[in-house]
Amino acid sequence: MRAAVLTRYGDVDALELRDVEDPRPKDGEIKLRVVAAGLNALDLKILSGAVKAWFPQKLPSILGFEASGVVAELGAGVSGFTVGDRVFGQVRHSFAEEATAPATALARTPGDVPPIEAAAIPVVGLTGAQLIEEAVQPKPGARVLVTGALGSVGRVAVHVARQLRARVIAGVRGRRASEAAELGADEVLALDDPAAIERLAPVDAIADTVGGEVIGQLLPLTDVREAFRRARDGGKVLLTF
């Protein structure tokens, strides 16, 4: 099969289209014919070598973390899928014509979702969901501010927080406020309007996908001092900014 192979750290010219050995599924894995693969910021950082301390590559290597495609072969012990099923999910080394992934990392692609769009869901979808479910862990009625709410991760975070019955504030640039209102959040905050930030009532958590100066301006909206007092007194506290 053919694959986009990273030969050295650098720019896109460090990738070469090569013929490589076809992958074989191990026990519990599925081999899929890749129709579309998602490209994320992490892929670009791995390509450049910026994160090689955390994601070292044994060169040459095939990048990619997500894909959509068609089931080509089932490994031993796999059930619930058949050859020919349309699937998507977390797929390592997805910048290739074929790839393998644990069956538990894949799901059937809904019939009305095009393969290119399906391939763009797994990484941002899991990131946004984990941001809310594992980091924020909001109780029903908690006020949660999601910054960058119109970004790919932010949109998922807003959706998941609403599913958990939190009161969601979508933080965006003021010129995109009307667009953000369509997300179904309870409130919209213009992050580039200091007066609007000043007027906003305190929140229980900030699910931040922006960082930089924005989060520094928003920290006063949370009662950090009270959280540290609880931690000092033996309570378990999770601060999410």
Side-chain angles (χ1 to χ4, degrees):
M1 70 167 188
R2 292 179 300 171
V5 177
L6 178 66
T7 60
R8 56 183 171 79
Y9 293 117
D11 207 334
V12 291
D13 58 356
L15 294 171
E16 293 182 5
L17 188 61
R18 292 184 177 182
D19 290 321
V20 299
E21 185 177 353
D22 293 354
R24 297 295 304 272
K26 300 176 182 178
D27 292 357
E29 290 186 339
I30 288 176
K31 175 180 174 178
L32 66 151
R33 177 173 58 82
V34 175
V35 176
L39 176 65
N40 294 279
L42 179 58
D43 296 303
L44 300 177
K45 291 178 180 178
I46 292 175
L47 171 66
S48 70
V51 294
K52 61 183 177 182
W54 299 275
F55 295 91
Q57 301 296 303
K58 184 178 180 181
L59 302 176
S61 66
I62 303 172
L63 303 185
F65 289 94
E66 59 186 353
S68 66
V70 178
V71 174
E73 185 180 346
L74 302 176
V78 174
S79 61
F81 294 91
T82 59
V83 172
D85 283 346
R86 296 175 63 238
V87 295
F88 74 112
Q90 283 192 297
V91 180
R92 296 293 303 273
H93 313 301
S94 61
F95 296 169
E97 291 182 310
E98 296 180 333
T100 60
T104 53
L106 298 173
R108 285 189 179 85
T109 306
D112 59 344
V113 177
I116 291 178
E117 295 180 8
I121 293 174
V123 171
V124 297
L126 287 171
T127 301
Q130 290 171 338
L131 177 59
I132 299 299
E133 294 175 347
E134 298 181 13
V136 175
Q137 299 182 350
K139 296 180 180 178
R143 286 171 53 80
V144 177
L145 169 60
V146 179
T147 65
L150 286 173
S152 52
V153 174
R155 286 175 182 267
V156 175
V158 168
H159 176 71
V160 173
R162 290 184 63 217
Q163 283 190 321
L164 296 177
R165 294 184 293 158
R167 292 190 57 80
V168 183
I169 302 130
V172 296
R173 292 184 182 276
R175 60 182 173 80
R176 304 190 71 185
S178 59
E179 185 181 353
E182 298 177 3
L183 294 175
D186 298 281
E187 301 176 50
V188 175
L189 174 67
L191 296 176
D192 51 358
D193 184 349
I197 294 175
E198 184 69 24
R199 291 193 301 268
L200 187 69
V203 298
D204 296 296
I206 300 173
D208 179 47
T209 72
V210 176
E213 296 181 2
V214 172
I215 189 61
Q217 296 171 352
L218 297 175
L219 284 179
L221 297 176
T222 61
D223 195 344
V224 178
R225 292 171 300 177
E226 176 60 24
F228 275 106
R229 280 196 293 268
R230 288 168 54 196
R232 181 196 61 193
D233 295 336
K236 183 177 180 180
V237 176
L238 174 66
L239 294 177
T240 304
F241 301 130

